[in-house]
Amino acid sequence: MEGYKQSKSNLFAVPAREGYLVFVTSENQIREVENSPIDQLSFHQAMEDHAGWKSINSLHFAEEISLRVNCKVIFGDRLTQNKDFLQATRDYHRQALAAMLTSHYLPHWTHKYVAPGILALGGAMKKLERFLTLEVKQRVQDMQAGKEGIPKDAITWVIEASTTKDQKAIRRVVQQVISIFFASAHQLPVLLMFSVYRLCEHPEYTKPLIDEVEAMMKLPATDHYKSLPLMESFLREAARHDPLDSLSVQRKVLKDFSFADGSRVPAGNVICVPQQAIMRDPKHYDRPDDFLPFRFADEHRDQDDAVQKFTDVKPHFYLWGAPAKPW
């Protein structure tokens, strides 16, 4: 719809699996397509291109969808529609992950050399910084000028949340935004991949989820996404059943730490929560090894309090960290 509104009866294109879908909107252009020779524009070939199934890598598919969603939410439409910028975000994610994993297996004193070195050789970090520096400068100018229609994304949020002179520095804002992007790049694609797997295994849950979303879309825009108990529960259960990591709430012990029962952990170790084991513990969840997509909606269906949201931080659900202090 957005492309159609902006086209003003001109051609506009949307990336497809192979090439682009080029949309014609004016009556004259539609007639031209209708009257075109079949050896130039082929209906049958278009249908054959859509026939059959194609094997894809589910993780790469989930990563690409997650990337585009994250970019839109964090960076806004202007940058997300830039192909070079999108490619820079893909490259940065891979290079940053490579730097993190490489550093994990090397002595601690090497980290300050190895990680920056890998990112410098890859070059994606510098490209991201150049794009974002220009965008942040423009955004600050627009906000200071009182312009309307400022995008409601993470860039704007970081700028508005910055109160001191140091916090408002362009370079710091850029670094903050990149940090948010990197932190958001892991959970979502893995969750999406396992959610798709679960829908393939349990297609009977597709219709109630679609019905819930369609009912929401009929509400005013201000009420969208406020009440999706089935979807919230489905995502929460997918994350509980197949978490990204078996550990959570990891804390490096900088000084000897003693628990109330007298247990002592010496400095240099790491304290963590075995989230996968806890989320599969029958003490906390009925039939813990079964995937019950509406488990969390059913728990609250007859209660007055709100249904647990996917993003809620709760005891026995440590995907987002600890309830009191997730970070």
Side-chain angles (χ1 to χ4, degrees):
M1 286 297 293
E2 193 64 30
Y4 177 76
K5 291 176 183 177
Q6 294 180 11
S7 71
K8 298 180 180 179
S9 297
N10 294 315
L11 295 174
F12 70 96
V14 174
R17 190 177 67 188
E18 295 179 1
Y20 287 83
L21 289 175
V22 181
F23 291 89
V24 293
T25 58
S26 73
E27 292 184 9
N28 289 337
Q29 288 177 333
I30 293 173
R31 278 195 292 270
E32 289 180 57
V33 173
E34 292 174 350
N35 298 324
S36 64
I38 60 174
D39 63 348
Q40 188 173 16
L41 299 182
S42 171
F43 168 77
H44 295 291
Q45 188 61 52
M47 293 302 99
E48 288 181 9
D49 286 350
H50 292 290
W53 293 87
K54 182 177 181 180
S55 177
I56 63 171
N57 183 300
S58 57
L59 180 57
H60 292 170
F61 171 73
E63 285 177 337
E64 184 63 21
I65 292 177
S66 303
L67 172 81
R68 290 175 180 265
V69 171
N70 277 338
C71 284
K72 184 175 179 64
V73 172
I74 296 172
F75 306 123
D77 288 334
R78 185 159 49 197
L79 285 177
T80 303
Q81 292 169 2
N82 186 311
K83 290 183 182 179
D84 292 336
F85 177 78
L86 275 181
Q87 188 57 49
T89 61
R90 292 188 191 97
D91 294 340
Y92 168 73
H93 176 234
R94 297 187 185 105
Q95 292 166 18
L97 192 59
M100 182 177 70
L101 293 175
T102 302
S103 297
H104 181 73
Y105 293 101
L106 295 174
H108 186 271
W109 66 268
T110 67
H111 294 181
K112 62 181 179 180
Y113 305 109
V114 173
I118 291 175
L119 291 174
L121 287 173
M125 180 78 165
K126 289 296 182 184
K127 290 181 181 177
L128 268 187
E129 287 180 342
R130 285 198 295 270
F131 276 112
L132 286 171
T133 297
L134 292 173
E135 180 67 23
V136 171
K137 286 181 177 178
Q138 184 62 54
R139 194 75 62 88
V140 170
Q141 291 176 5
D142 291 346
M143 293 170 72
Q144 290 175 343
K147 284 191 176 181
E148 295 183 358
I150 300 294
K152 296 180 179 179
D153 52 32
I155 293 178
T156 297
W157 176 74
V158 171
I159 294 172
E160 291 179 339
S162 302
T163 56
T164 68
K165 182 178 179 181
D166 289 342
Q167 290 175 345
K168 292 180 179 179
I170 299 296
R171 180 170 176 77
R172 183 188 180 279
V173 172
V174 169
Q175 290 173 340
Q176 289 286 97
V177 173
I178 291 177
S179 297
I180 293 172
F181 171 70
F182 181 70
S184 68
H186 306 293
Q187 291 277 22
L188 186 57
V190 174
L191 170 68
L192 177 59
M193 180 182 69
F194 280 116
S195 296
V196 171
Y197 286 168
R198 299 299 163 228
L199 280 176
C200 292
E201 292 175 350
H202 304 280
E204 67 272 19
Y205 295 112
T206 303
K207 188 177 186 306
L209 290 170
I210 291 176
D211 289 345
E212 183 179 64
V213 173
E214 289 181 341
M216 177 206 71
M217 295 304 293
K218 295 176 182 178
L219 299 174
T222 53
D223 293 329
H224 284 180
Y225 310 108
K226 289 184 179 179
S227 180
L228 290 171
L230 299 184
M231 184 65 72
E232 298 276 10
S233 179
F234 186 92
L235 294 175
R236 195 172 177 88
E237 177 69 351
R240 181 199 71 82
H241 196 270
D242 298 289
L244 172 64
D245 199 336
S246 60
L247 308 177
S248 184
V249 198
Q250 299 185 50
R251 303 287 189 271
K252 182 66 177 281
V253 183
L254 304 180
K255 299 178 182 178
D256 291 2
F257 183 84
S258 297
F259 289 91
D261 66 356
S263 301
R264 177 177 167 275
V265 182
N269 294 287
V270 175
I271 296 174
C272 57
V273 172
Q275 68 165 347
Q276 187 173 36
I278 289 175
M279 294 195 293
R280 291 289 190 96
D281 190 335
K283 290 189 299 183
H284 308 309
Y285 296 97
D286 293 332
R287 297 167 55 191
D289 293 327
D290 294 339
F291 179 75
L292 305 177
F294 299 150
R295 173 194 301 273
F296 296 99
D298 291 339
E299 286 179 359
H300 292 265
R301 188 157 285 163
D302 298 325
Q303 300 180 22
D304 293 332
D305 57 335
V307 171
Q308 291 186 33
K309 291 185 175 297
F310 170 53
T311 52
D312 284 349
V313 180
K314 297 279 187 178
H316 311 139
F317 187 85
Y318 295 99
L319 189 74
W320 310 114
K325 190 166 65 174
W327 59 89

